[in-house]
Amino acid sequence: MAGAYDDRDGWIWMDGKLVPWREANVHILTHAMHYASSVFEGERAYNGKIFESRRHSERLLASGRMLEVDIPWTVDEIEAAKYEVMKANDLSDAYVRAVAWRGSGEDMGVSSAKNPVRLAVAAWSWGAYYGDAKTRGAKLDISKWKRPSPDTIPVHAKAAGLYMICTMSKHAAEAKGCSDALFMDYRGYVAEATGANIFFVKNGEVHTPTADVFLNGITRQTVIGMLGERQVKVHQRHIMPAELEGFEQCWLTGTAAEVTPVGQIGDYNFEVGAMTRDISAAYEQLVRA
């Protein structure tokens, strides 16, 4: 499947039924378009099975609750919708996007309590998120924006509004020839990339930022578990930017990113070393098991 995302053949599940891809539309006065009252999930299916599917559906509902967007579907109903979409589009390896939002209704100011919550699920074929960086290592810029404090916004929700600075940072990075950008948080600690968590290696041990002001990714949790099974010590802690100079290897994790090695962040260089290659290959084997 290729071309603009609004002009494709196929089917999208919307509010309980499949609709033709080109007819999966919303009104211009949809509340989410104006006020970001939207949450979503990104998932990958391998050989017909969505990896950690139920955990994603559970997180979608949890994100909705954090934003007071009460999604009127159960985990089981969302699960059924995802697989119905894959079947309708004849997909076995796919990226699956579930999105819930405040639609059009009686409210069109900041308040949206009178507007219905809607849900859609789409799926399409999507290759490596960072292209050939999966083998040579991604190059990251350092964003001028910072991850916000948890008392300013629901930082643990996978919410549309939280991605505004991600888009801006990624555009700035791409203009410099980079694949992505690294955020610091509001305190100055290393946080994450625009759509992926980050890991570092030093002296055979792994260091990753504490997920206290950003999303604790499902892929991140999976990889931490895999490292534990390999008896690799993992330090979840606050990391200062100056420490980047001392790390030997680095990789990103995320549903879209999977496990992608990092070769450079700003002026700091990293090798695509044995541990990075091992965990990347093991993750690929796990999701296709």
Side-chain angles (χ1 to χ4, degrees), residues 74-96:
T74 66
V75 168
D76 286 341
E77 289 169 334
I78 297 169
E79 289 296 292
K82 289 189 285 190
Y83 281 100
E84 185 177 1
V85 165
M86 287 180 57
K87 182 178 180 180
N89 291 290
D90 194 25
L91 292 169
S92 58
D93 282 33
Y95 181 81
V96 181

Side-chain angles (χ1 to χ4, degrees), residues 40 129-130 140-143 145 147 158 162-174 179-183 191-198 215 252-253 257:
F40 69 96
Y129 186 62
Y130 293 112
L140 272 58
D141 186 28
I142 297 177
S143 176
W145 301 100
R147 275 289 174 220
K158 195 168 178 67
L162 287 165
Y163 283 80
M164 178 179 66
I165 59 173
C166 298
T167 298
M168 297 166 71
S169 298
K170 193 167 174 95
H171 287 173
E174 290 173 342
S179 300
D180 206 344
L182 176 67
F183 286 112
E192 60 174 348
T194 64
N197 296 126
I198 194 161
L215 198 68
L252 301 173
T253 64

Side-chain angles (χ1 to χ4, degrees), residues 40-66:
F40 69 96
E41 283 295 319
E43 310 168 46
R44 279 193 187 266
Y46 303 88
N47 300 326
K49 183 180 179 181
I50 302 169
F51 183 66
E52 296 286 12
S53 185
R54 291 191 69 87
R55 290 180 68 187
H56 281 283
S57 296
E58 290 165 356
R59 189 172 69 180
L60 180 70
L61 296 180
S63 293
R65 288 191 294 271
M66 291 181 210

Side-chain angles (χ1 to χ4, degrees), residues 220-234:
R220 176 184 185 273
Q221 296 173 51
T222 299
V223 167
I224 289 173
M226 294 168 64
L227 291 165
E229 292 170 358
R230 286 163 169 71
Q231 305 302 310
V232 175
K233 188 170 183 59
V234 179

Side-chain angles (χ1 to χ4, degrees), residues 11-236:
W11 299 88
I12 293 176
W13 186 98
M14 290 189 75
D15 300 323
K17 64 180 180 180
L18 291 172
V19 299
W21 191 288
R22 294 178 181 84
E23 297 175 20
N25 302 314
V26 297
H27 195 274
I28 192 65
L29 294 182
T30 293
H31 192 270
M33 184 175 293
H34 297 259
Y35 296 101
S37 51
S38 173
V39 295
F40 69 96
E41 283 295 319
E43 310 168 46
R44 279 193 187 266
Y46 303 88
N47 300 326
K49 183 180 179 181
I50 302 169
F51 183 66
E52 296 286 12
S53 185
R54 291 191 69 87
R55 290 180 68 187
H56 281 283
S57 296
E58 290 165 356
R59 189 172 69 180
L60 180 70
L61 296 180
S63 293
R65 288 191 294 271
M66 291 181 210
L67 269 66
E68 299 181 1
V69 174
D70 295 320
I71 301 169
W73 280 273
T74 66
V75 168
D76 286 341
E77 289 169 334
I78 297 169
E79 289 296 292
K82 289 189 285 190
Y83 281 100
E84 185 177 1
V85 165
M86 287 180 57
K87 182 178 180 180
N89 291 290
D90 194 25
L91 292 169
S92 58
D93 282 33
Y95 181 81
V96 181
R97 170 63 57 87
V99 57
W101 69 98
R102 286 282 187 187
S104 301
E106 296 180 46
D107 287 332
M108 198 49 220
V110 173
S111 176
S112 63
K114 297 178 183 178
N115 293 10
V117 175
R118 304 187 60 189
L119 177 67
V121 182
W124 61 89
S125 297
W126 205 10
Y129 186 62
Y130 293 112
D132 62 1
K134 285 205 72 171
T135 54
R136 62 179 176 80
K139 181 180 178 182
L140 272 58
D141 186 28
I142 297 177
S143 176
K144 69 177 184 179
W145 301 100
K146 298 187 184 299
R147 275 289 174 220
S149 165
D151 60 6
T152 63
I153 200 164
V155 297
H156 297 295
K158 195 168 178 67
L162 287 165
Y163 283 80
M164 178 179 66
I165 59 173
C166 298
T167 298
M168 297 166 71
S169 298
K170 193 167 174 95
H171 287 173
E174 290 173 342
K176 298 177 183 178
C178 299
S179 300
D180 206 344
L182 176 67
F183 286 112
M184 306 304 157
D185 69 21
Y186 72 102
R187 300 162 297 190
Y189 298 130
V190 174
E192 60 174 348
T194 64
N197 296 126
I198 194 161
F199 290 76
F200 303 96
V201 179
K202 183 177 182 179
N203 297 330
E205 298 182 349
V206 171
H207 303 256
T208 188
T210 302
D212 55 356
V213 299
F214 56 84
L215 198 68
N216 183 12
I218 290 172
T219 307
R220 176 184 185 273
Q221 296 173 51
T222 299
V223 167
I224 289 173
M226 294 168 64
L227 291 165
E229 292 170 358
R230 286 163 169 71
Q231 305 302 310
V232 175
K233 188 170 183 59
V234 179
H235 303 271
Q236 299 185 59

